[in-house]
Amino acid sequence: MSYLYRQSFENAKLTGEIEAYRESRTENIRCKKAIESAISDSFDGFTLNKNGAKKVIADFGYDRTMWVLAASILNKKDDGRFSRENKEWTRSVIPSYLPQKEMREYCVDSHPAVLNGFIDQVKKRYDRLGLVGEKQCVQSDKPQDYERKLLILKPEILNEQFKDPINQYFYAAGGFGCDPEKSGRKVFGQFLADDEKAQFYREDFFGVADYEQLPKWAVERLEQIEAPQMKIRIFQIDHEKDRNKLAFMNYDYTQSHGGIKAENYRQIYGGTVTCDSLESVFALCNSDKTPPGYLGESMSVSNVIEICDGKDKGFYFCDSVGFKPIDFDIDKTNHSDIMKILIVENGKAPYEAEIRNDIHAMQEVVGGSIEPIYFEPQNNALCWCNDEFLLNGSAPNRIVGETLVHGTFYISGNYRNEYGEWDSCSLTDEQIEKYKEQFNHVVVNLPGIGLIAVRETKPEIIEPDEEFEEEHEIEQTM
């Protein structure tokens, strides 16, 4: 669908957009004719069939269809056959500063009473999209700071295939446009649903979302975005190599009995955790919600944690009290059975993890017995999920191939071993990036619509409710 130009001809001359203005005007005229034809074909003298509005919207989109309809009322604003509600609606579509004369070319000439019914049908279909607006924003008499806030995009900013409330939520990370006192207008951030980075202008938003009115999926996604994250690895002493009995001993005792030797350690986990300090990592690994794939003892004294990035990057020895920064050669540790996978949890962006190539570690990821889903034609990767995800109450997570998977799952590599048998293996760096993008979407349940998969293509309705819409009976007033 072509671009809808929303400014005046004078503005187009000033900004050098005359060609865009003319192309949009041509499309508006085509849309006008399509509406007239649809009304003629759909009206039998008593009732107006819904299919006319449906076809026009499919051909021209909501934005242009509503623009042409609003322009038609504005050019006949004194006609009493248009309802008061529809007359008020026009100014929510077309700004008052645009000159009426520029719209006359695409003013629909159908009978006003029938046209009024057609407009009602279009509005009804549009309302069913469930788009959010100013009523879902924090009300304030003063301009608001947008930085680190969840904003609501205006529907007209979204392309037709993305007109869905889940695509209106945008988390602002920064930009001069966040500050109402600065002259800059750009706002940088990410879509809440799939973390896709984007930039908009300050005026593209209704305002800051009222968190008390957020749907459940948005609350959960927002918590994930705002939660602190650390990329870590965890190492524990291999008891078979612990000749000096240093497991669970503090730093001073270890140093006086041969020191911290990386070759005595075994990697038990690596991944991204929702923590902001080593102390919170310790608490997490001693809770009943250890990171997916964590297979080892509860974290204790003598363990080593690696912080993989950030200002505190390095290795830390878990002491009786606190943590000691240490030199530690990861290449000397036992990590031969570590497998790189991609973990996909509900509501979270996919993240890389390192787990032991052990059935118990694999079951820890999905929370039970594992079952493969084949989704790659060459079988060089597999999805592993809980084999009872439809029975254990897990929430819908992602679409894998043609399967809607519930609950946490992971992607591993797949290869033929020396015996000619298929076996799990680490993903390559290329596969990790590929599947991060492929599964960078969420599945949400919208009332009256059903389960929606949000991704970088048109949102896919998985389980839509059956659509019912009555035909309009038109009372013609001459």
Side-chain angles (χ1 to χ4, degrees):
M1 294 175 185
S2 59
Y3 172 69
L4 173 63
Y5 193 81
R6 300 174 185 270
Q7 303 299 322
S8 66
F9 180 68
E10 288 301 319
N11 182 82
K13 288 195 296 184
L14 290 173
T15 57
E17 298 175 317
I18 292 178
E19 188 62 30
Y21 173 89
R22 288 173 175 165
E23 288 179 1
S24 186
R25 182 186 63 185
T26 299
E27 279 298 289
N28 290 345
I29 294 171
R30 281 205 326 114
C31 183
K32 153 201 155 63
K33 293 178 180 178
I35 292 172
E36 291 170 348
S37 177
I39 290 176
S40 176
D41 294 341
S42 304
F43 184 58
D44 64 4
F46 297 97
T47 58
L48 182 65
N49 189 285
K50 66 180 181 180
N51 292 328
K54 185 176 181 180
K55 185 177 187 310
V56 172
I57 292 168
D59 291 344
F60 293 93
Y62 282 104
D63 288 343
R64 192 176 303 281
T65 300
M66 294 195 300
W67 185 273
V68 170
L69 292 173
S72 302
I73 293 182
L74 287 173
N75 277 277
K76 301 176 182 180
K77 59 185 177 181
D78 295 327
D79 195 316
R81 288 167 290 189
F82 292 112
S83 67
R84 178 174 56 84
E85 291 79 8
N86 285 345
K87 288 180 178 180
E88 292 175 353
W89 165 79
T90 59
R91 282 312 179 189
S92 69
V93 179
I94 300 179
S96 58
Y97 57 78
L98 288 183
Q100 242 177 262
K101 62 181 181 180
E102 292 188 14
M103 307 176 200
R104 287 174 187 156
E105 286 183 290
Y106 47 86
C107 176
V108 178
D109 292 328
S110 301
H111 190 284
V114 185
L115 179 58
N116 190 72
F118 187 90
I119 293 170
D120 287 339
Q121 287 184 346
V122 171
K123 287 169 58 183
K124 184 176 181 179
R125 297 187 71 85
Y126 185 76
D127 289 344
R128 203 162 53 238
L129 295 176
L131 299 171
V132 291
E134 291 181 358
K135 292 182 180 179
Q136 286 74 36
C137 292
V138 175
Q139 304 303 311
S140 176
D141 296 331
K142 298 180 180 179
Q144 296 171 294
D145 190 327
Y146 286 173
E147 187 166 359
R148 301 294 172 188
K149 301 285 178 60
L150 183 63
L151 311 178
I152 296 181
L153 272 166
K154 295 177 180 177
E156 59 266 28
I157 302 303
L158 299 169
N159 290 334
E160 286 294 324
Q161 68 266 37
F162 297 113
K163 282 196 189 303
D164 194 287
I166 51 183
N167 293 320
Q168 288 185 263
Y169 293 106
F170 186 84
Y171 188 78
F176 289 141
C178 290
D179 190 338
E181 297 183 359
K182 290 186 177 177
S183 58
R185 297 161 52 218
K186 287 187 177 180
V187 176
F188 299 90
Q190 64 194 74
F191 285 96
L192 185 66
D194 60 7
D195 295 331
E196 183 182 353
K197 303 294 189 296
Q199 64 182 51
F200 294 95
Y201 294 106
R202 185 179 178 88
E203 59 268 26
D204 293 337
F205 300 95
F206 284 121
V208 178
D210 182 354
Y211 288 10
E212 293 185 359
Q213 298 188 60
L214 291 179
K216 182 180 178 181
W217 75 266
V219 172
E220 293 171 351
R221 288 290 298 125
L222 188 60
E223 288 175 352
Q224 292 298 330
I225 288 177
E226 294 185 332
Q229 291 189 334
M230 293 175 65
K231 187 176 181 181
I232 63 168
R233 291 189 179 97
I234 297 174
F235 303 86
Q236 294 180 343
I237 290 178
D238 185 339
H239 294 290
E240 293 182 359
K241 298 180 179 181
D242 188 18
R243 296 176 181 176
N244 293 334
K245 305 299 180 184
L246 298 179
F248 313 119
M249 296 300 172
N250 65 23
Y251 180 80
D252 290 338
Y253 182 90
T254 300
Q255 290 293 77
S256 64
H257 288 77
I260 302 165
K261 297 187 181 299
E263 55 266 31
N264 293 336
Y265 280 79
R266 180 179 194 175
Q267 182 180 346
I268 64 161
Y269 175 77
T272 301
V273 294
T274 305
C275 298
D276 59 1
S277 65
L278 291 169
E279 286 74 15
S280 60
V281 173
F282 183 91
L284 175 67
C285 295
N286 280 281
S287 71
D288 58 355
K289 294 184 179 179
T290 54
Y294 182 99
L295 185 63
E297 301 160 341
S298 297
M299 182 166 286
S300 185
V301 175
S302 78
N303 289 183
V304 172
I305 303 178
E306 178 189 6
I307 298 179
C308 301
D309 49 26
K311 61 182 179 66
D312 296 321
K313 180 177 180 180
F315 295 90
Y316 297 84
F317 182 91
C318 182
D319 205 358
S320 300
V321 178
F323 294 82
K324 297 274 190 183
I326 60 170
D327 291 326
F328 192 80
D329 189 349
I330 190 174
D331 292 330
K332 293 181 179 180
T333 64
N334 178 4
H335 55 274
S336 59
D337 64 346
I338 288 295
M339 179 173 63
K340 288 185 179 181
I341 62 172
L342 195 71
I343 295 179
V344 187
E345 297 185 67
N346 287 67
K348 290 185 179 182
Y351 62 92
E352 180 183 346
E354 298 172 356
I355 68 169
R356 288 165 59 184
N357 193 346
D358 181 291
I359 186 63
H360 300 294
M362 298 173 188
Q363 291 176 338
E364 282 291 325
V365 178
V366 304
S369 298
I370 59 174
E371 179 180 11
I373 295 177
Y374 297 85
F375 69 101
E376 283 286 15
Q378 297 180 344
N379 287 337
N380 59 349
L382 289 176
C383 165
W384 296 92
C385 63
N386 188 307
D387 66 356
E388 295 184 336
F389 70 70
L390 291 177
L391 302 175
N392 61 17
S394 298
N397 187 351
R398 301 295 206 277
I399 297 174
V400 182
E402 297 181 356
T403 303
L404 176 59
V405 180
H406 295 227
T408 299
F409 65 88
Y410 71 91
I411 308 294
S412 75
N414 194 39
Y415 83 113
R416 288 191 183 276
N417 60 25
E418 58 185 311
Y419 305 106
E421 301 169 330
W422 288 101
D423 199 0
S424 295
C425 64
S426 290
L427 293 169
T428 65
D429 292 340
E430 292 77 13
Q431 285 177 311
I432 288 173
E433 293 308 312
K434 173 185 175 181
Y435 298 130
K436 276 184 178 179
E437 181 177 356
Q438 181 172 336
F439 297 111
N440 191 25
H441 67 274
V442 296
V443 171
V444 298
N445 195 353
L446 297 181
I449 297 178
L451 294 175
I452 301 284
V454 189
R455 60 179 93 212
E456 293 184 5
T457 59
K458 183 175 180 180
E460 176 185 353
I461 300 178
I462 304 168
E463 297 177 0
D465 288 343
E466 187 175 355
E467 179 183 327
F468 294 98
E469 183 178 350
E470 296 181 356
E471 298 176 347
H472 278 65
E473 185 171 338
I474 307 298
E475 179 183 348
Q476 293 200 47
T477 305
M478 303 305 292

